[in-house]
Amino acid sequence: MTDVTINNLTTPWWKHGIIYQIYPRSFQDSNNDGIGDLPGITARLDYLKWLGIDAIWLSPTFPSPMADFGYDVADYRDVHPMFGTLADFDTLLAEAHTRDIKLLLDLVPNHTSSEHAWFRESRSSRDNPKRDWYIWRDAKPDGRAPNNWVSAFGGPAWEWDEATGQYYLHSFLKEQPDLNYRNPDVIAAMQDNIRFWLKRGLDGFRVDVIDWMIKDAEFRDEADPYTRVYSAFRPEVHDVIRKFRQVFDEFPDRVMVGEINYLGTYEYIAGLYGVGEGGDLIHLPFNFRMILTPWNAVDVRSVVDEYDAAVPEHGWPNYVLGNHDQHRVASRIGRDEARVAAMLLLTLRGTPFIYYGEEIGMENVPIPQELEQDPYGIRVPGMSRDPERTPMQWDSSVNGGFNASAAPWLPLSPQYETVNVTRQQNDPLSMLTLYRRLIAYRREHVALRTGSYRSLSGAGIPIDCFVYLRAQGDQRILVALSFSAEARAIMLPERGTIHLSTMLDREGETVQLLNLRPSEGVIVAL
Ligand code: NOJ
């Protein structure tokens, strides 16, 4: 999909398109080794085209010892043999582009793997030229770590290196040492890695923990280590992000998506767009509010109202219901509620992100302890991310169509025989049908893609319903979502025609007093 001209303004693809996240280990295993791969994704592109999405983002596929399943990169310019080869990547990119689908990879710049050549050099001696590429500090006089910073995965953020007699910083696992972005050579090296892929035709990157890249210059102790006032989220990080952005801007139409502090204020998020026309920092700093917000109309509405108002003129909003680090939306809020959430996601002002399997209502899969994979869950009981990373459920055959026969790296959902793509493709009322209809509806209606947003309130709108208007030119679309377990009636400001219900059964009904069934959402054209 190329840029679209709307009202004489050219809107880049990533503003009006929909981005679909794939966790490559779990999408499609083409060589039957139990782990998904790039040729597998290529083989499923026709499905993604049929679904109607515009771009895919792959969680990391680079060479890696897989201590954190690829978020520990050992070489930024290649493909892990488990996922395929660079040639397989080129094929995937070309095949995606043939179908008008863009491709994003996952850049992990905050840290490398401890197996990366840079770190091997850095740890080889104190006077190695790459020593300063990582964050090395002396012990306190009594031998303790330099400060009280903690790893996001539990325990101290410092690891003692016996050979060279210093500690190094790792904000995540000790196998993920943090790079030192106060060293300009590190910025330049990472810029070159970005360039490598963009030159190859890649359409952009999702950038991992982008606002962790700079740490306090004085390494001050945190008052509360978990707030990360000094160990991450520093304002100086803008300078590094800007340098990355300059590389994106060397190429036309590329996008930088940034994983940012889940708990950042709206002001904080707004700042990460940067300044000037189009901003000079992140195109799409992730908005994780829908993941954190309790599922009720009052909270969801205030999130959308406040966030939408906070995004600067030169920025663009985005919404996401789930990802590879968060429990599945259908498990968090409920199956019927997840249908309403789908309508919300795909009718708001801002780029929607869909996590693979959300479109068929995949739920968390309980993983027996002996099969647990996630290092976070293994270190900190209860925190495992395995339940949301299980193989895609394609059909009711062996291993759900994920592969021919090998045991998948994580067990398939016990629901796979009933909850799968093939079944839902043949069911006019399924979650998949709903997603596909919503995606098509968004594509066909400029008011949803780029129109204005305004929520409605007052007499006639029950407190447990969220009603909003999207408009562009003559096109006016009202969305009414019920969060109630009971029937609700909404008095609309004027008569309209129902175009879509989350229950997929009342298209064409003309309404002014709109009766909603429990947990029903509808789109009404005014
Ligand atoms: C955020 C990623 O989404 C997560 O999966 C990973 O473990 C950490 N960053 C560390 O890279």
Side-chain angles (χ1 to χ4, degrees):
M1 183 189 250
T2 42
D3 290 0
V4 165
T5 303
I6 298 161
N7 292 350
N8 294 326
L9 293 172
T10 300
T11 312
W13 65 268
W14 49 266
K15 287 193 181 175
H16 62 83
I18 297 167
I19 304 180
Y20 183 96
Q21 180 190 357
I22 290 178
Y23 197 67
R25 295 179 74 87
S26 295
F27 204 57
Q28 180 69 50
D29 171 16
S30 72
N31 61 353
N32 200 37
D33 64 357
I35 297 171
D37 45 50
L38 297 185
I41 297 170
T42 306
R44 293 295 185 180
L45 284 174
D46 285 335
Y47 163 73
L48 296 172
K49 186 67 193 168
W50 171 87
L51 181 61
I53 55 92
D54 300 281
I56 47 191
W57 145 37
L58 308 184
S59 283
T61 47
F62 309 99
S64 160
M66 297 284 158
D68 188 20
F69 293 109
Y71 285 93
D72 47 325
V73 177
D75 178 354
Y76 290 91
R77 301 191 185 195
D78 207 345
V79 172
H80 193 300
M82 166 192 292
F83 294 125
T85 61
L86 268 178
D88 291 329
F89 166 82
D90 289 336
T91 303
L92 169 60
L93 183 64
E95 290 292 324
H97 284 173
T98 304
R99 290 165 180 79
D100 249 347
I101 293 175
K102 306 278 189 189
L103 182 64
L104 312 188
L105 291 181
D106 204 319
L107 182 75
V108 189
N110 176 70
H111 42 271
T112 68
S113 160
S114 49
E115 298 298 312
H116 193 290
W118 297 343
F119 189 69
R120 288 172 186 248
E121 282 188 51
S122 185
R123 82 183 314 175
S124 66
S125 79
R126 284 206 193 194
D127 49 19
N128 183 279
K130 292 218 166 52
R131 183 64 169 184
D132 184 51
W133 281 39
Y134 291 82
I135 300 175
W136 293 96
R137 306 290 289 172
D138 289 334
K140 284 193 169 155
D142 63 1
R144 283 184 304 140
N147 64 24
N148 69 350
W149 296 358
V150 291
S151 152
F153 291 149
W158 296 99
E159 180 71 10
W160 178 249
D161 182 57
E162 196 58 55
T164 58
Q166 280 190 312
Y167 282 97
Y168 68 84
L169 182 75
H170 59 90
S171 298
F172 295 87
L173 299 174
K174 68 174 170 25
E175 294 83 2
Q176 295 167 296
D178 284 48
L179 282 162
N180 173 20
Y181 281 94
R182 291 187 185 269
N183 181 331
D185 294 345
V186 176
I187 299 184
M190 201 53 77
Q191 283 180 314
D192 276 347
N193 286 334
I194 298 172
R195 234 175 246 120
F196 173 86
W197 293 101
L198 297 186
K199 268 196 202 146
R200 247 185 146 85
L202 186 76
D203 300 291
F205 281 102
R206 173 266 191 189
V207 185
D208 190 67
V209 290
I210 195 167
D211 49 5
W212 292 52
M213 289 190 291
I214 287 282
K215 284 82 187 168
D216 180 45
E218 293 161 42
F219 292 90
R220 278 170 282 188
D221 270 326
E222 300 278 7
D224 169 357
Y226 296 94
T227 56
R228 299 192 183 277
V229 175
Y230 299 122
S231 62
F233 315 137
R234 305 291 310 157
E236 309 94 285
V237 79
H238 286 197
D239 299 336
V240 182
I241 299 173
R242 190 172 302 111
K243 294 268 170 50
F244 284 11
R245 171 64 180 266
Q246 283 160 7
V247 180
F248 285 74
D249 289 346
E250 290 169 13
F251 303 83
D253 264 355
R254 308 303 154 102
V255 67
M256 191 204 299
V257 180
E259 188 202 19
I260 63 164
N261 186 359
Y262 274 67
L263 304 175
T265 62
Y266 293 119
E267 200 189 345
Y268 178 84
I269 299 176
L272 284 166
Y273 289 95
V275 294
E277 201 192 330
D280 60 351
L281 300 178
I282 311 171
H283 294 106
L284 296 174
F286 264 127
N287 161 26
F288 293 121
R289 283 301 196 286
M290 286 302 165
I291 292 176
L292 304 174
T293 305
W295 189 248
N296 66 68
V298 172
D299 286 317
V300 169
R301 177 192 160 161
S302 70
V303 158
V304 179
D305 283 353
E306 288 170 35
Y307 170 71
D308 190 81
V311 173
E313 272 291 299
H314 58 267
W316 185 251
N318 67 81
Y319 291 91
V320 43
L321 300 174
N323 61 39
H324 63 293
D325 294 327
Q326 303 297 328
H327 285 332
R328 292 232 175 231
V329 61
S331 301
R332 289 197 325 261
I333 67 175
R335 285 182 205 171
D336 294 342
E337 290 79 359
R339 295 176 78 105
V340 178
M343 184 171 275
L344 173 75
L345 176 75
L346 292 161
T347 56
L348 284 173
R349 189 182 82 95
T351 305
F353 285 77
I354 298 172
Y355 183 50
Y356 86 96
E358 238 161 47
E359 75 274 23
I360 54 169
M362 272 176 73
E363 296 179 42
N364 289 346
V365 178
I367 308 292
Q369 207 183 349
E370 65 280 9
L371 295 180
E372 261 190 46
Q373 302 286 333
D374 182 18
Y376 189 17
I378 291 168
R379 287 167 63 106
V380 188
M383 296 310 286
S384 179
R385 300 166 292 179
D386 292 337
E388 60 264 22
R389 295 178 174 180
T390 60
M392 180 67 173
Q393 298 153 209
W394 294 104
D395 56 42
S396 23
S397 71
V398 179
N399 290 343
F402 170 66
N403 65 12
S405 57
W409 75 287
L410 278 174
L412 251 106
S413 163
Q415 300 172 343
Y416 86 85
E417 280 175 281
T418 49
V419 180
N420 65 52
V421 169
T422 306
R423 260 184 99 119
Q424 294 196 14
Q425 280 180 321
N426 296 316
D427 174 357
L429 303 182
S430 69
M431 181 69 131
L432 184 55
T433 302
L434 173 63
Y435 260 89
R436 187 158 179 261
R437 294 280 309 275
L438 283 166
I439 291 169
Y441 194 84
R442 185 175 179 94
R443 184 181 291 283
E444 287 155 13
H445 291 84
V446 69
L448 291 190
R449 295 208 310 272
T450 52
S452 61
Y453 160 85
R454 181 163 66 85
S455 63
L456 306 184
S457 56
I461 300 180
I463 189 86
D464 43 16
C465 295
F466 177 25
V467 182
Y468 49 94
L469 203 58
R470 302 288 321 276
Q472 180 143 338
D474 295 341
Q475 204 172 82
R476 292 165 64 242
I477 294 171
L478 181 138
V479 181
L481 308 175
S482 170
F483 291 64
S484 174
E486 287 157 27
R488 286 289 176 259
I490 299 177
M491 184 54 82
L492 302 183
E494 59 194 272
R495 268 177 102 70
T497 308
I498 295 185
H499 274 183
L500 199 54
S501 155
T502 51
M503 297 176 185
L504 294 164
D505 59 354
R506 48 192 299 200
E507 209 175 307
E509 215 180 287
T510 308
V511 284
Q512 180 149 20
L513 180 67
L514 170 65
N515 289 303
L516 291 179
R517 289 161 287 180
S519 289
E520 182 182 22
V522 295
I523 296 177
V524 181
L526 300 180

